[in-house]
Amino acid sequence: MTDDALSNLLHEERRFPPPAEFAAQANATDALYAEARADRLAFWERQARELLSWDTEWTQVLDWSNPPFAKWFVGGKLNVAYNCVDRHVEAGHGDRVAIHWEGEPGDSRTLTYADMQREVSKAANALTELGVGHGDRVAIYLPMIPEAAVAMLACARVGAIHSVVFGGFSAEALRSRIEDAEAKLVITADGGYRRGKPASLKPAVDEAVAASTSVRNVLVVRRTEQEVDWNDDVDVWWHDVVDRQSDQHDARPHDSEDTLYILYTSGTTGKPKGIKHTSGGYLLQTAYTHRNVFDLKPDTDVYWCTADIGWVTGHSYLVYGPMANGATQVMYEGTPDYPEPGRWWDIVEKYGVTILYTAPTAIRTFMKQGDEIPGRRDLSSLRVLGSVGEPINPEAWIWYRRVIGGDRTPVVDTWWQTETGAIMISPLPGVTSAKPGSAQVALPGISAEVVDDAGNVVPDGHGGYLVLTEPWPSMLRTIWGDDQRFIDTYWSRFEGRYFAGDGAKKDEDGDLWLLGRVDDVMNISGHRISTTEVESALVSHPKVAESAVVGASDPTTGQGIVAFVILRAGAAPDAAGGSEIINELRDHVAKEIGPIAKPRQIMIVSELPKTRSGKIMRRLLRDVAENRELGDVQTLADPTVMNLISEGMSSSS
Ligand code: WT7
């Protein structure tokens, strides 16, 4: 972000205090902050008693004797799936809708909590029959269908560890994740619907498991009925194996610190990190934040989180948080603009959605399409709007509140990460006077600060790095199989504090403004992709000698991927100014990582700007990609390189 844009942001003067009627009925009050400040661990303990059902109480709230390896609710036992499903049925809410599912082609399904209990039990019995038990890893590669939630909860029920891989990731990305976790089972589908067409999933799984030594079975849900290749030794249909199981299953308690799941996310190297989350603390913080940040009233609200289940938002705010709270929610399979741009608003109207949780990219896309499309629908059921994934610019925030929220609803900008497991910084909708563009304050029970390079807390009105200063219940416990990388990545930059990788500023009121990543991680439409990952994908192409990738700011997607590529000798660009090779390279990246990693722009260059020690100066490339005047080029080994690149850029765009 440029300094001008930043100071504009910080001079944002509009304030939106909670409406009095909203504040009067809100779950969370001001008192939570005081309670948590007085005794943080006692605060979490009270939340754990009130929000979850435990089979055995813990003996210690937090064991931080071996930092940064935390244990929460030590000795406590619970079953996560029981907490998310069965206990709501036992409390008399079996008929409450858990999921209003909407397929992209317009088909729909309704699952009550009693239905969920039967489905999850059957799937848990099927896992047992397939030889999957406590501690085994299960890769889940599914479209947005109810079976995705059922499969995750079935794993939780038997104590198996799921590793959900976003359906838009490539066979290669899936393969490396299966291998890293040594998954025994893969749960997938023939395909899912995207933009009106069935998109296949099974062929990618076939490719990913072909040489696997760990995978014993592939369990396949039939969704699109497209043709699939079948390997009788490995493949089994969900409807053959799950449907015939008993719908009774005894949910045994598991340890609070048993691993619930692994979720891979991009780091600053090419190898994705398997973020490990455990059971008790994770479920607690997702339930607590879901209840207080969205003001959930399980009897009357209809909640809709638009994230895909393949991302952490889908894990924490589609499956675990909402279901632990017994929420009624909407789950939508497809794209926002199919069959036409008003599809989401039709869904809000159809189900009477009261709480909507989505990403700034989507909001900016709708904003571009104008007020008329949502204006034609009845959105008056909405009462809380949430945003997540990247900084939301004040204009998009204001538009969201005015056009979608009818100038009435609180908007909560929620900051968190795959690693934090749950929301950490956010306004509380009945308490906080909202400031467009700022995530504002750490939630009760959470401790965040902004520090300078030396690790000193900066005064109000200054910027630096965001750190978390105390352990929190849903924190990652480690990187799967790599404790050292866990220590190095998060706990070594600032002694005793968690380094989030984000720049942040505190304004004169002490409110926090998140300013984006300070490392080589890009944020594309709220999805994290590392520059190194895309660079490795590019150089794995036989025609590429070297590449450098930067995230350039983009009015819709937050950042867009811009790649600078040096071709190998002999791979000269074609007459069309290299467009053929550029398309070939974009497709290659999509094949290696997934379509979300396709560069927005690829520049064929003859040199890259490097320091004398050979480090690529991405800062300068970002200046070029964002059409800015070049910053300091003094440290370049060859300062003339930038002239060549800038010239190439203007002649090709
Ligand atoms: C990164 C985490 C958390 C679920 C989705 C992304 C950025 C996230 C915000 C926000 C500014 C945000 C940060 C963070 N981010 N939410 N409200 N304001 N930035 O999860 O893929 O783990 O990415 O997303 O840069 O570090 P993720």
Side-chain angles (χ1 to χ4, degrees):
M1 188 172 303
T2 64
D3 288 348
D4 279 356
L6 181 59
S7 57
N8 285 343
L9 268 183
L10 297 173
H11 290 117
E12 174 60 59
E13 304 247 311
R14 290 166 284 192
R15 297 289 178 275
F16 297 87
E21 325 80 80
F22 190 100
Q25 59 82 64
N27 292 341
T29 67
D30 223 0
L32 280 184
Y33 293 103
E35 183 195 347
R37 218 173 297 122
D39 188 341
R40 192 171 54 90
L41 296 185
F43 169 81
W44 284 119
E45 191 159 36
R46 177 175 79 81
Q47 296 296 335
R49 283 210 180 91
E50 286 178 13
L51 297 178
L52 301 183
S53 304
W54 299 79
D55 291 86
T56 308
E57 261 227 15
W58 50 93
T59 52
Q60 193 185 3
V61 184
L62 168 67
D63 176 358
W64 191 234
S65 60
N66 179 30
F69 300 96
K71 291 192 181 120
W72 280 87
F73 306 104
V74 184
K77 289 192 192 309
L78 80 173
N79 186 289
V80 169
Y82 171 84
N83 271 274
C84 290
V85 178
D86 306 57
R87 65 171 174 151
H88 306 312
V89 180
E90 288 171 13
H93 306 307
D95 292 339
R96 185 188 290 163
V97 173
I99 299 177
H100 288 293
W101 177 77
E102 175 92 1
E104 198 194 67
D107 49 339
S108 61
R109 282 163 71 185
T110 306
L111 288 105
T112 63
Y113 274 95
D115 293 331
M116 283 302 286
Q117 188 181 32
R118 286 187 285 270
E119 294 308 316
V120 173
S121 296
K122 285 198 277 185
N125 285 321
L127 291 179
T128 307
E129 183 179 308
L130 293 169
V132 173
H134 185 266
D136 288 335
R137 272 81 62 204
V138 176
I140 297 178
Y141 187 65
L142 281 172
M144 286 287 284
I145 54 177
E147 284 78 4
V150 170
M152 290 162 76
L153 290 166
C155 287
R157 199 170 181 100
V158 304
I161 299 166
H162 59 70
S163 161
V164 182
V165 180
F166 173 55
F169 274 129
S170 67
E172 173 50 30
L174 176 63
R175 189 202 59 74
S176 65
R177 285 160 176 75
I178 289 173
E179 183 179 278
D180 188 70
E182 298 168 285
K184 207 169 176 182
L185 176 71
V186 182
I187 305 180
T188 189
D190 46 3
Y193 288 95
R194 285 210 75 76
R195 300 216 153 76
K197 286 194 283 283
S200 63
L201 286 171
K202 178 75 166 46
V205 178
D206 295 343
E207 198 181 325
V209 305
S212 169
T213 49
S214 64
V215 173
R216 291 212 210 143
N217 287 108
V218 176
L219 180 58
V220 190
V221 179
R222 187 183 274 159
R223 164 66 183 136
T224 56
E225 309 201 359
Q226 63 204 113
E227 287 233 4
V228 290
D229 286 343
W230 204 254
N231 175 351
D232 281 324
D233 296 336
V234 179
D235 298 336
V236 286
W237 283 111
W238 178 284
H239 56 260
D240 282 341
V241 180
V242 178
D243 287 1
R244 64 175 159 75
Q245 302 291 331
S246 158
D247 62 10
Q248 304 289 311
H249 181 272
D250 182 22
R252 297 230 298 272
H254 301 296
D255 196 276
S256 178
E257 279 300 330
D258 276 357
T259 304
L260 180 60
Y261 68 80
I262 312 167
L263 182 59
Y264 288 83
T265 187
S266 295
T268 51
T269 71
K271 190 179 185 291
K273 304 176 281 199
I275 302 302
K276 178 178 131 167
H277 282 293
T278 60
S279 304
Y282 172 81
L283 192 66
L284 172 65
Q285 198 177 324
T286 56
Y288 158 77
T289 49
H290 183 258
R291 181 184 140 78
N292 291 299
V293 173
F294 301 117
D295 192 47
L296 180 83
K297 305 285 192 285
D299 297 330
T300 47
D301 275 318
V302 178
Y303 162 84
W304 182 20
C305 166
T306 65
D308 191 281
I309 219 146
W311 308 106
V312 75
T313 309
H315 284 57
S316 300
Y317 295 106
L318 211 141
V319 179
Y320 293 110
M323 300 201 69
N325 289 335
T328 293
Q329 64 179 321
V330 170
M331 179 178 187
Y332 172 55
E333 177 185 35
T335 38
D337 52 357
Y338 188 83
E340 48 106 21
R343 182 65 186 272
W344 273 17
W345 316 122
D346 286 339
I347 294 175
V348 169
E349 186 176 272
K350 176 172 173 186
Y351 295 103
V353 172
T354 59
I355 306 168
L356 179 69
Y357 192 29
T358 193
T361 295
I363 298 165
R364 288 191 293 261
T365 305
F366 294 130
M367 195 172 143
K368 265 200 309 210
Q369 293 164 353
D371 300 8
E372 212 188 280
I373 296 166
R376 282 202 298 271
R377 275 82 177 181
D378 178 6
L379 307 180
S380 60
S381 55
L382 289 166
R383 63 179 201 95
V384 183
L385 302 177
S387 171
V388 62
E390 49 177 317
I392 177 165
N393 46 308
E395 290 337 298
W397 193 106
I398 295 279
W399 185 88
Y400 192 29
R401 185 181 187 279
R402 180 176 61 80
V403 178
I404 306 305
D407 239 338
R408 176 187 76 243
T409 59
V411 173
V412 287
D413 174 10
T414 64
W415 179 90
W416 58 295
Q417 311 177 294
T418 305
E419 291 86 341
T420 69
I423 299 170
M424 303 292 282
I425 301 174
S426 166
L428 287 175
V431 178
T432 319
S433 184
K435 236 181 230 183
S438 168
Q440 298 189 294
V441 278
L443 288 176
I446 300 301
S447 314
E449 254 308 344
V450 179
V451 299
D452 63 17
D453 260 314
N456 300 313
V457 170
V458 304
D460 289 351
H462 289 76
Y465 306 97
L466 182 74
V467 294
L468 302 169
T469 55
E470 298 285 355
W472 61 101
S474 64
M475 65 196 277
L476 78 164
R477 297 302 192 261
T478 189
I479 292 173
W480 183 256
D482 202 343
D483 287 348
Q484 193 56 48
R485 191 174 177 197
F486 169 63
I487 296 170
D488 294 345
T489 309
Y490 306 107
W491 300 95
S492 302
R493 180 80 172 74
F494 302 107
E495 174 83 43
R497 286 161 293 181
Y498 172 90
F499 171 54
D502 278 19
K505 188 136 183 165
K506 281 196 288 196
D507 66 17
E508 298 297 343
D509 304 325
D511 280 330
L512 296 167
W513 295 75
L514 278 306
L515 304 175
R517 305 287 309 187
V518 294
D519 51 15
D520 292 331
V521 173
M522 300 174 286
N523 189 328
I524 317 296
S525 301
H527 301 317
R528 222 205 280 188
I529 299 165
S530 87
T531 53
T532 336
E533 236 176 315
V534 180
E535 285 165 5
S536 339
L538 284 166
V539 295
S540 75
H541 189 284
K543 291 182 185 162
V544 174
E546 212 180 330
S547 83
V549 167
V550 297
S553 61
D554 184 289
T556 305
T557 58
Q559 285 188 311
I561 304 178
V562 178
F564 297 82
V565 166
I566 302 179
L567 295 177
R568 282 183 192 282
D574 50 78
S579 66
E580 219 164 276
I581 175 104
I582 285 170
N583 287 335
E584 194 177 321
L585 294 179
R586 292 180 77 235
D587 290 344
H588 179 72
V589 174
K591 187 174 173 299
E592 287 296 302
I593 305 173
I596 47 164
K598 256 191 192 184
R600 177 185 82 185
Q601 203 175 357
I602 295 183
M603 289 281 312
I604 309 288
V605 294
S606 52
E607 295 288 348
L608 289 170
K610 288 187 186 156
T611 60
R612 269 159 230 129
S613 60
K615 199 171 178 295
I616 292 175
M617 291 192 69
R618 287 209 181 73
R619 173 174 62 77
L620 293 176
L621 293 174
R622 223 173 290 127
D623 287 343
V624 174
E626 293 176 351
N627 296 316
R628 250 199 320 274
E629 211 159 296
L630 288 184
D632 185 10
V633 295
Q634 293 313 310
T635 47
L636 281 181
D638 174 6
T640 61
V641 163
M642 288 317 295
N643 300 337
L644 289 172
I645 294 178
S646 305
E647 279 160 25
M649 191 84 180
S650 43
S651 67
S652 79
S653 56

